[in-house]
Amino acid sequence: MRCRYCFYSEISTLRETPSYGIMSENTIDKILNNTFIDIDDKDKITFAFQGGEPTLAGLPWFRYFVDNVNVRKRNAKVSYAFQTNGLLLDDSWCEFFHDNNFLIGLSIDAGKRFHDRNRLSPIGEGTFETCLKCKVLLEKNQVEHNILCVLTNEIAKEPERIWRFILNEKIRYIQFIPCLEPLDNSGQLSEKATTHGNILRPIFFAKFYSRLLPWWINELEKNNYISIKLFDDIVNYFYKGIASSCGINGQCHNQYVIEADGSVFPCDFYCFDEHKIGNLTENTLRELFYAEKVKSFINEKPVLPKTCESCRFQNVCRGGCKRMRNVMYAGKDNAVCGFRSLLEKCLEPLGDAVRRMI
């Protein structure tokens, strides 16, 4: 695809090496050796494949990867996740996913008009119908999956249409990924002009989820639980004390983003040359975990806007994810914090609804 809002495409063009191609079998062997040397029996590890588009590596590549994990894992529990546009999926892929317990994240923007405006083929055609067929294919083959929808400003302004899409397509799990503004090669907000009006703004972020909540609660009370990831994350964090999404508590975590040559970065939003922390073909997992660049990345504390000082959620939110600051929270130019507005309207109703269902 040639998605108009692809943040990774923007990142890669700013690196000395924009693309590392497809990981070689030799590199696979080395990174697995340096991973499992630090994995003990009964440990848990997840390998998550993203792109670009991971299916372009081909099904034999993934068979090789999984076979070589099985040789090394001993009694560790290994899970797999796979984010795809679905265009190359067929029954062979689905059989492999099913047999190896892959969780698939299928990218579909919630509605043909939204999807085909941004998720284009190389010749500029919309891909909505093809992606929807991929969802049916996953369902037919009983492959566990969720839907990934980029939350643009345009989509955020039409929550009713999005909710109808969720119900009509009988979607059980969906995650809305905020459409981000570009960064420069130092990881700071770019002065580059925004494109196509896609970039989410905090006020529309808050209004979108606030409108979804009563419909979501209505379905929950009919014993029809639909997983909307942000609602799940808020319940987990504020009512269970579990930070189930990176940054919800204002704290970064090292995510071990591995490029095809083995280069490792601390976050998929910051795969810039200056953020490279090492190479998993040369360093072990433990060595990378304690790298100085990881410590500085995690411990970096951006200056919070003044609106945070008077916020009753400041001690638990701490300004939120630094990459999401200008689209969800109170960035430097935002008079309103979207996350604060959302919590003020939705935190108590969310908690009440969940308690009633327990």
Side-chain angles (χ1 to χ4, degrees):
M1 285 189 186
R2 301 294 184 271
C3 300
R4 284 176 155 173
Y5 44 47
C6 180
F7 74 86
Y8 185 76
S9 176
E10 291 174 337
I11 289 174
S12 63
T13 59
L14 297 173
R15 296 190 309 215
E16 184 176 340
T17 303
S19 172
Y20 295 96
I22 294 172
M23 185 181 290
S24 69
E25 292 182 356
N26 182 53
T27 301
I28 291 174
D29 293 339
K30 288 180 179 179
I31 69 168
L32 291 181
N33 285 339
N34 282 335
T35 296
F36 282 98
I37 195 173
D38 288 328
I39 300 297
D40 297 323
D41 283 358
K42 299 183 181 179
D43 277 350
K44 297 179 181 179
I45 183 168
T46 298
F47 293 100
F49 300 96
Q50 295 177 245
E53 172 51 43
T55 54
L56 291 171
L59 185 52
W61 189 98
F62 287 94
R63 294 192 191 280
Y64 183 90
F65 190 97
V66 170
D67 287 346
N68 280 274
V69 167
N70 290 337
V71 169
R72 295 168 171 85
K73 69 178 184 179
R74 302 186 303 280
N75 291 318
K77 183 177 180 180
V78 177
S79 302
Y80 297 101
F82 192 100
Q83 185 171 327
T84 179
N85 60 37
L87 298 189
L88 295 181
L89 297 188
D90 57 19
D91 286 324
S92 297
W93 276 103
C94 291
E95 181 181 358
F96 170 79
F97 291 148
H98 179 271
D99 292 348
N100 292 282
N101 298 310
F102 272 61
L103 171 63
I104 308 303
L106 179 62
S107 296
I108 303 178
D109 287 349
K112 180 177 174 63
R113 174 163 61 88
F114 304 122
H115 184 108
D116 284 351
R117 186 166 296 175
N118 290 300
R119 300 185 60 78
L120 304 173
S121 74
I123 60 173
E125 294 179 343
T127 57
F128 178 76
E129 299 297 341
T130 305
C131 291
L132 214 53
K133 290 177 182 176
C134 295
K135 173 179 172 290
V136 174
L137 185 67
L138 292 169
E139 292 168 345
K140 184 190 80 170
N141 286 275
Q142 298 181 316
V143 177
E144 188 177 359
H145 64 281
N146 55 34
I147 300 301
L148 307 175
C149 173
V150 176
L151 185 58
T152 63
N153 231 29
E154 181 186 36
I155 287 177
K157 293 175 182 177
E158 299 200 40
E160 291 89 349
R161 189 182 296 271
I162 304 310
W163 186 249
R164 287 199 301 272
F165 174 82
I166 292 171
L167 295 182
N168 290 341
E169 295 299 328
K170 297 180 173 58
I171 292 170
R172 309 304 308 161
Y173 299 88
I174 187 165
Q175 177 180 356
F176 295 99
I177 303 169
C179 187
L180 301 171
E181 70 275 82
L183 300 179
D184 61 25
N185 56 8
S186 66
Q188 303 302 311
L189 289 180
S190 173
E191 297 300 322
K192 177 182 174 181
T194 60
T195 56
H196 308 290
N198 284 320
I199 294 170
L200 185 63
R201 291 291 171 246
I203 188 170
F204 294 111
F205 159 84
K207 288 181 177 180
F208 174 76
Y209 280 105
S210 298
R211 289 289 291 143
L212 286 189
L213 183 63
W215 303 325
W216 181 84
I217 291 175
N218 184 54
E219 291 300 315
L220 184 67
E221 291 177 341
K222 293 190 292 186
N223 211 27
N224 180 30
Y225 166 64
I226 298 171
S227 173
I228 294 178
K229 191 172 188 304
L230 183 64
F231 291 160
D232 293 346
D233 290 337
I234 290 173
V235 170
N236 284 334
Y237 184 47
F238 286 90
Y239 292 104
K240 300 179 182 179
I242 301 169
S244 55
S245 66
C246 184
I248 194 170
N249 59 352
Q251 179 62 58
C252 288
H253 302 276
N254 183 13
Q255 297 184 53
Y256 295 114
V257 179
I258 308 165
E259 280 284 5
D261 69 333
S263 296
V264 181
F265 301 86
C267 173
D268 56 351
F269 294 136
Y270 292 90
C271 291
F272 298 103
D273 290 333
E274 74 168 46
H275 285 91
K276 179 180 173 180
I277 60 177
N279 192 299
L280 199 48
T281 66
E282 302 164 357
N283 311 109
T284 69
L285 205 62
R286 191 179 302 277
E287 289 171 345
L288 292 168
F289 187 85
Y290 291 107
E292 286 301 318
K293 278 195 174 182
V294 170
K295 293 178 185 177
S296 60
F297 180 82
I298 289 175
N299 294 328
E300 179 188 8
K301 301 297 181 186
V303 177
L304 299 182
K306 281 193 172 293
T307 185
C308 291
E309 296 175 2
S310 61
C311 179
R312 66 187 177 100
F313 304 110
Q314 196 273 336
N315 288 334
V316 286
C317 165
R318 302 181 187 90
C321 169
K322 61 186 178 185
R323 186 62 179 98
M324 300 288 180
R325 188 142 296 152
N326 276 14
V327 298
M328 280 177 56
Y329 302 93
K332 62 178 182 177
D333 298 323
N334 298 316
V336 175
C337 174
F339 197 55
R340 176 179 178 173
S341 298
L342 176 64
L343 292 178
E344 288 174 342
K345 294 177 182 177
C346 297
L347 185 58
E348 290 185 12
L350 259 175
D352 292 342
V354 171
R355 281 190 290 268
R356 287 198 297 271
M357 300 307 295
I358 294 176

